[in-house]
Structures are given as C-alpha cells and as structure tokens.
Amino acid sequence: MAKKKPVRKNVRKPVKKAAGTAKRRKTVRARPKPKSSDPLFAPVKGAELREIGNVRLEVGRAGAARVKRMVYPAGFRWSVDMKPIVGTDLCMHAHVGFLASGEIHIEYADGCVVEHKAPQIVAIDPGHDGWVVGRQPVVLIEFDFEGDTVRRLGMPDTHRHS
C-alpha cells in the first residue's frame, strides 16, 4: 500500500513572477491634490466658472449678492499672479466670507500682517497683498456686491487702524 501525503490547508502556492516585473512603488507628490470626490472642490452646480491668475473662481447669484468659491493653488501670491492682470499695486477688493480650507497671509501697505487659517470667517479690507501659506490650496467662500461691497457691508475703502 502507498503512503498518503498529509493534507495541508490554507497554504498558498508560490507565484512565479514574469521576467522583468518589479514591485511598483507608491509615488509621493510634493503638493497634495484635492480629491475629486471632496465636495469642497467639486464643480458648483449652476455657477459660472472662471479662471484668472491661477485662481479657480465659481460665481453664483443669491438675491442682490454674489456667492463665490475661490480656490487659490499652493504657491499663489497676488502680487505675482494677479498684479500683472489687474494693473494695481495691491488688491483693491474687499473679501468677506468663510475660509473653508488652507491658510492665507495678508499684508497691507502700512506693514500690518494678518494670517487666517481654516476654518475661519474673514473680512479683508481693500489694499492688500496676499498669498497661500503651505502646500494646501486655499478655498474661500466669499460674498460680495460687485463694486458696491465695501459700502454695503460697511467696510473701510482701504485698510487703516482705529
């Protein structure tokens, strides 16, 4: 009588690799990209999409106001990316809204510095330079009244100290 081999359960057979195949390494990116499934970066339904000075801007109407989602990429700086397009030394827009993601550095002509880090409500006076801090894009949900924002929101027309 022939001797039976013992039965081994849950044993994997060795798998032969095809010649020239190597293990793939996961690539690490220097700048994290927003996940396409993240609603913070998904297209805004019914909004008008614009891109200006490397900023993704989506604008929609809400009564007499506009609601804007502005996505500033890592490395963005107003004086580098927007100044050549706008033609003024500083950003002369008031920015009022909710900083949903990232961190921004604001510098006024008088040397005053303000930093905002999400999540935070922001009110930025006209007359500033600003840039994204770090590698994360900045997402700002902004409310404005086009050229009448400063007056309608009771803001100063330029940054000053009380």
Side-chain angles (χ1 to χ4, degrees), residues 75-144:
F76 173 86
R77 183 172 182 143
W78 190 90
S79 57
V80 172
D81 297 295
M82 296 295 283
K83 180 179 177 177
I85 297 166
V86 177
T88 59
D89 287 336
L90 298 169
C91 177
M92 298 311 293
H93 289 281
H95 303 278
V96 176
F98 178 70
L99 182 61
S101 177
E103 186 175 348
I104 54 176
H105 177 99
I106 303 298
E107 202 166 290
Y108 293 98
D110 66 359
C112 184
V113 170
V114 180
E115 292 193 329
H116 299 286
K117 187 172 185 178
Q120 187 176 356
I121 295 169
V122 299
I124 302 168
D125 298 334
H128 62 273
D129 189 9
W131 56 89
V132 172
V133 176
R135 295 181 176 174
Q136 183 178 3
V138 164
V139 178
L140 178 62
I141 310 300
E142 186 174 314
F143 305 91
D144 78 12

Side-chain angles (χ1 to χ4, degrees), residues 26-34 73-75 133-137:
K26 202 173 192 179
T27 305
V28 178
R29 296 179 184 206
R31 293 182 182 175
K33 297 233 177 193
V133 176
R135 295 181 176 174
Q136 183 178 3

Side-chain angles (χ1 to χ4, degrees), residues 41-52 54-60 67-71:
F41 296 95
V44 176
K45 186 177 179 181
E48 175 190 340
L49 173 63
R50 302 178 197 163
E51 294 212 11
I52 181 166
N54 296 318
V55 176
R56 181 183 171 135
L57 171 64
E58 289 169 278
V59 183
V67 178
K68 303 187 290 189
R69 180 181 62 187
M70 303 169 79
V71 180

